[in-house]
Amino acid sequence: MKGIGQNFDDFMIEQGLYEEAKELAAKRLIALQLEEEMKKTAHLKIRNGRKNAHFTHCRGQCARLYAQHFHRNP
């Protein structure tokens, strides 16, 4: 291990954690972006009074996938 000033990426690589952390960060970013888009779409549909069963079904599926990824119950 290098001393003070070691690059954090190098440290993570040395510890064998870099790829896993990078993959998890990307998944979390995608999940957060998806959640934000779902909220925007839901808000617009409710505001415009156009609820439909397909949207609700898709939103439920996305929520379940998100929950499974982060080990939460939907």
Side-chain angles (χ1 to χ4, degrees), residues 10-21:
D10 292 341
F11 171 76
M12 295 291 285
I13 291 168
E14 234 176 60
Q15 299 299 312
L17 302 171
Y18 183 79
E19 289 302 319
E20 183 181 349

Side-chain angles (χ1 to χ4, degrees), residues 29-68:
L29 178 60
I30 290 168
L32 288 172
Q33 290 172 337
L34 176 62
E35 185 176 36
E36 286 301 312
E37 287 302 314
M38 287 170 50
K39 285 179 184 178
K40 286 179 192 176
T41 303
H43 175 73
L44 289 173
K45 289 205 179 270
I46 290 169
R47 190 173 123 208
N48 294 330
R50 289 185 279 140
K51 298 178 186 178
N52 75 37
H54 178 71
F55 173 74
T56 303
H57 178 70
C58 291
R59 194 169 113 200
Q61 285 179 326
C62 289
R64 281 190 293 282
L65 289 172
Y66 178 81
Q68 287 173 354

